Amino acid sequence: MPLALLALAVAAFGIGTTEFVMMGLLPNVADDLGVTVPTAGHLVSAYAIGVVVGAPLLAAVGVRVPRRRMLIALMGLFTVGNLASALAPDYGTLLAGRVLAGLPHGAFFGVGAVVAARLVREGRQARAVATMFLGLTVANIVGVPGGTALGQQLGWRATFLVVTVIGLAAMAALAALVPHLPPERRDPADAVAGGVGAELRREVRALGNRQVLLGLLTAVFGFAGVFALYSYLASMVTEVTGMAESSVTVVLALFGVGMTLGALAAGPLTDRALRPTLYGALAALALVLVAFRLTVHVPWAAMATVVVIGAVGFMTTTPLQMLVMEKARNAPTLAAASNHSAFNLANAGGAWAGGTAIAAGWGWTSPALVGAGLAVVGLAIAVTAGVLDRGGARRSRVVARGARADANTTDRADAGAGAR
């Protein structure tokens, strides 16, 4: 694998750390800034809002920027957002810093996925994209627990200062290791006719592709199943499993281990069979979420199931990323970036759905069943998309055969006329 993928993984590590570490630092931030923990919780939502807004916006703005320069610029914005968070004098400024840090998240992964796929030969693109995502999964094993522990010992600002340093290191790695890559090739006639405006319209039109929209919907519902459970995992293992609060960090790290295993498996499986990998991951996610409602009562079984949930949940990300890139082949960047907006909508929607079930009095384990239901909805959308895709491909083949038959008939007729 090219060394440039290492630079992308380092950047993904920093992004993953800053996205999830706030969940472990909420009590510290609340105490320091004089707000309640629920109010501090809006800092998690602020980052997600930044992702949802920034992903399509920044990806569209950068359609003609060379890919390495675009990646460095996005990491620069990410670094500034984390530095602003570390130095924030009050809650409002920290809220703004979190939105700023989230803005480049989706666009970076969208551009990064396209770059990763261009760095390797045909048939290994999914493995390259999965390698970049490894940085995100390792962040949940090392970055989030380490950042939480650092923030508890030295203050939450220290955590964001370290993430700022990681951002600077990622920018240096991107500059040194990623080769110069121009924006994706366009139709020369379109480029002359419309310039940047035409390219923006092409990127936006790609989002209107039925298969792209169905892929984004699959991400919203399918991945929401993961976050319906993950958002309340700490409470489940303390309230239901009976584990000590100090063990929560270990459980979250095990979830990260599962994510890493899922990313490692998803690459080669997606290269071999994209849609079956997606179907299998979503079906397995639904089943293991149902199983968790039983295993959560036994500590060792609960921890083992958490690893599996992380694995099958994250196995959906690579095929979904490759699917939208493939179906938006002429304008993949905006579609790939929008996929991360979909993942963050899944984050927010899953957390809301799981919390609603708990608030309704269905019990601490109810988010597992809610998550299973969401995964089934995602699977149904994915299967529907696959059936429609096969039908469209079949019709295209029929039309192509008809066109060839007409051409052959015309050629024979012309030949007969010539003989006469």
Side-chain angles (χ1 to χ4, degrees):
M1 285 288 182
L3 282 176
L5 295 178
L6 176 62
L8 293 172
V10 170
F13 176 83
I15 292 173
T17 299
T18 205
E19 179 180 15
F20 295 111
V21 76
M22 182 57 77
M23 298 175 186
L25 295 176
L26 289 181
N28 306 81
V29 173
D31 288 342
D32 185 51
L33 297 181
V35 297
T36 64
V37 170
T39 299
H42 296 322
L43 296 167
V44 177
S45 302
Y47 185 92
I49 290 171
V51 178
V52 172
V53 173
L57 180 63
L58 294 179
V61 168
V63 290
R64 299 195 73 179
V65 179
R67 304 294 82 181
R68 180 176 62 188
R69 187 186 305 167
M70 185 65 178
L71 289 170
I72 294 171
L74 290 169
M75 279 309 295
L77 183 59
F78 167 84
T79 302
V80 169
N82 280 283
L83 181 61
S85 298
L87 302 178
D90 52 42
Y91 174 77
T93 308
L94 179 56
L95 198 70
R98 290 290 289 172
V99 173
L100 185 61
L103 285 175
H105 175 125
F108 181 89
F109 280 118
V111 175
V114 174
V115 168
R118 291 174 65 181
L119 290 172
V120 297
R121 61 180 171 82
E122 188 74 25
R124 298 186 66 87
Q125 289 95 334
R127 268 168 275 206
V129 172
T131 299
M132 177 185 68
F133 282 140
L134 279 176
L136 189 63
T137 65
V138 172
N140 283 274
I141 302 173
V142 179
V144 174
T148 300
L150 179 67
Q152 291 170 344
Q153 295 299 317
L154 301 179
W156 61 270
R157 297 178 190 276
T159 299
F160 290 104
L161 285 174
V162 170
V163 174
T164 300
V165 173
I166 294 173
L168 292 172
M171 292 172 66
L174 292 168
L177 299 177
V178 175
H180 171 74
L181 293 171
E184 291 66 51
R185 288 194 296 271
R186 313 291 182 186
D187 186 331
D190 287 347
V192 172
V196 177
E199 293 183 11
L200 284 174
R201 287 192 295 273
R202 187 183 297 105
E203 293 277 353
V204 172
R205 279 200 304 271
L207 292 181
N209 180 293
R210 182 174 63 185
Q211 288 295 320
V212 172
L213 289 174
L214 289 172
L216 296 177
L217 279 175
T218 301
V220 169
F221 285 95
F223 210 64
V226 177
F227 278 96
L229 177 89
Y230 182 76
S231 302
Y232 305 98
L233 187 57
S235 297
M236 287 186 198
V237 297
T238 55
E239 298 293 333
V240 181
T241 312
M243 299 172 68
E245 287 188 5
S246 58
S247 64
V248 170
T249 302
V250 176
V251 174
L252 295 179
L254 287 173
F255 187 86
V257 169
M259 291 172 66
T260 303
L261 294 174
L264 289 170
L269 288 174
T270 302
D271 278 329
R272 188 173 298 118
L274 191 156
R275 287 195 187 273
T277 299
L278 178 58
Y279 299 158
L282 287 170
L285 177 61
L287 291 174
V288 76
L289 284 170
V290 171
F292 184 72
R293 202 164 186 218
L294 303 175
T295 63
V296 70
H297 300 281
V298 182
W300 69 266
M303 289 189 288
T305 310
V306 164
V307 174
V308 178
I309 293 171
V312 296
F314 208 77
M315 275 185 68
T316 63
T317 58
T318 298
L320 282 169
Q321 188 77 76
M322 296 305 298
L323 178 65
V324 297
M325 288 167 58
E326 178 185 311
K327 296 306 177 183
R329 190 180 301 276
N330 294 325
T333 304
L334 181 56
S338 297
N339 200 37
H340 290 274
S341 292
F343 284 137
N344 274 268
L345 287 174
N347 184 341
W352 173 82
T356 299
I358 294 172
W362 295 353
W364 282 109
T365 61
S366 59
L369 293 182
V370 171
L374 290 169
V376 169
V377 174
L379 177 60
I381 296 171
V383 171
T384 300
V387 171
L388 292 174
D389 199 25
R390 284 196 299 274
R394 193 178 301 113
R395 285 191 296 274
S396 297
R397 287 194 296 271
V398 170
V399 170
R401 282 198 297 270
R404 285 196 297 270
D406 290 344
N408 291 336
T409 301
T410 302
D411 289 343
R412 286 195 295 271
D414 290 343
R420 289 193 296 272

